[in-house]
Amino acid sequence: AQSVTQLDSQVPVFEEAPVELRCNYSSSVSVYLFWYVQYPNQGLQLLLKYLSGSTLVKGINGFEAEFNKSQTSFHLRKPSVHISDTAEYFCAVTTSQAGTALIFGKGTTLSVSS
Amino acid sequence: NAGVMQNPRHLVRRRGQEARLRCSPMKGHSHVYWYRQLPEEGLKFMVYLQKENIIDESGMPKERFSAEFPKEGPSILRIQQVVRGDSAAYFCASSPAGRYEQYFGPGTRLTVT
């Protein structure tokens, strides 16, 4: 079975500072990894995904993530955050069989202040 | 291309009533997933459906919950005899056949009074 751990439940940062949201996973099979963002009272928007190939994945809104198989991590980074990045971020994993459920971490609330 | 649509966005039911949540997948998507988000928790998988078939319902509570995805029309998540513990946000996601990423709707927020 797969599991996802998001190591920080809340991350407060100042505007224009860099940020890293941490995600570790466990799985006995190959996995595919995703980051989603959820703004208040909205659905989840796909930020980026790792399926194969380059371990550095670029997504929308200036976010990127790096897949590290040896450390079973998929941390999300942004070099300079904006107030509008304030939201909840979810890391998710699924197996290499298409059509299987996503397993989500509990989420990290990113709060950006001026 | 319209995204995943869910309705209603908000639903209030009294204990013992039935709740019906609807989901229309993105055009061209044949796979539908339902997830539940409880306060202070992440999203939990409930059920995965393709047209007229339930593929995986391992996350569905054994009683009172059912789901369908008919040949025509939206997918329906049905909760009978709701209890306060059913209060949550219910999200539907869809994906095209053979793809791994899922696209989410805005959710239905169910409140049981």
Side-chain angles (χ1 to χ4, degrees):
Chain A
Q2 295 78 42
S3 67
V4 177
T5 302
Q6 291 184 242
L7 297 158
D8 307 294
S9 59
Q10 297 192 12
V11 174
V13 294
F14 287 108
E15 194 173 20
E16 298 183 8
V19 70
E20 178 180 82
L21 306 184
R22 297 180 293 168
C23 172
N24 286 90
Y25 69 92
S26 66
S27 176
S28 58
V29 299
S30 296
V31 295
Y32 299 127
L33 295 151
F34 306 85
W35 276 98
Y36 286 85
V37 60
Q38 185 181 30
Y39 299 101
N41 297 315
Q42 294 188 27
L44 279 74
Q45 181 181 10
L46 180 63
L47 269 179
L48 47 78
K49 60 189 178 188
Y50 172 77
L51 303 181
S52 64
S54 172
T55 57
L56 183 62
V57 179
K58 293 191 182 298
I60 63 172
N61 301 341
F63 284 94
E64 63 181 31
E66 186 160 18
F67 171 58
N68 188 320
K69 188 174 182 179
S70 63
Q71 297 188 5
T72 61
S73 67
F74 190 55
H75 300 334
L76 181 71
R77 301 186 183 101
K78 187 169 182 178
S80 176
V81 295
H82 302 291
I83 298 283
S84 59
D85 292 323
T86 295
E88 189 151 21
Y89 293 78
F90 292 96
C91 181
V93 63
T94 190
T95 69
S96 57
Q97 181 181 354
T100 54
L102 290 171
I103 307 299
F104 284 89
K106 290 194 173 183
T108 297
T109 301
L110 175 64
S111 300
V112 183
S113 56
S114 57
Chain B
N1 187 11
V4 177
M5 300 177 68
Q6 290 188 249
N7 64 81
R9 294 290 306 275
H10 300 275
L11 182 62
V12 179
R13 285 286 178 265
R14 293 190 178 134
R15 281 179 295 172
Q17 291 184 319
E18 179 179 287
R20 279 182 178 243
L21 288 61
R22 289 177 291 278
C23 168
S24 295
M26 288 178 71
K27 187 176 181 181
H29 289 194
S30 56
H31 297 201
V32 166
Y33 310 78
W34 285 93
Y35 294 83
R36 178 166 62 176
Q37 185 177 35
L38 292 164
E40 306 303 323
E41 294 188 21
L43 283 86
K44 303 292 186 185
F45 166 75
M46 300 180 74
V47 62
Y48 160 43
L49 310 102
Q50 295 177 21
K51 286 284 188 182
E52 300 184 282
N53 284 302
I54 297 174
I55 307 302
D56 179 1
E57 56 181 347
S58 59
M60 285 277 271
K62 299 298 181 193
E63 298 178 351
R64 301 186 298 107
F65 286 72
S66 62
E68 63 177 9
F69 189 16
K71 187 176 181 181
E72 301 291 337
S75 175
I76 305 287
L77 179 67
R78 182 182 178 206
I79 311 172
Q80 295 178 290
Q81 299 177 322
V82 296
V83 300
R84 287 213 172 121
D86 297 331
S87 294
Y90 292 83
F91 291 95
C92 170
S94 71
S95 69
R99 298 289 296 271
Y100 302 97
E101 61 269 30
Q102 297 174 20
Y103 297 88
F104 283 77
T108 294
R109 281 152 181 85
L110 172 66
T111 302
V112 179
T113 62

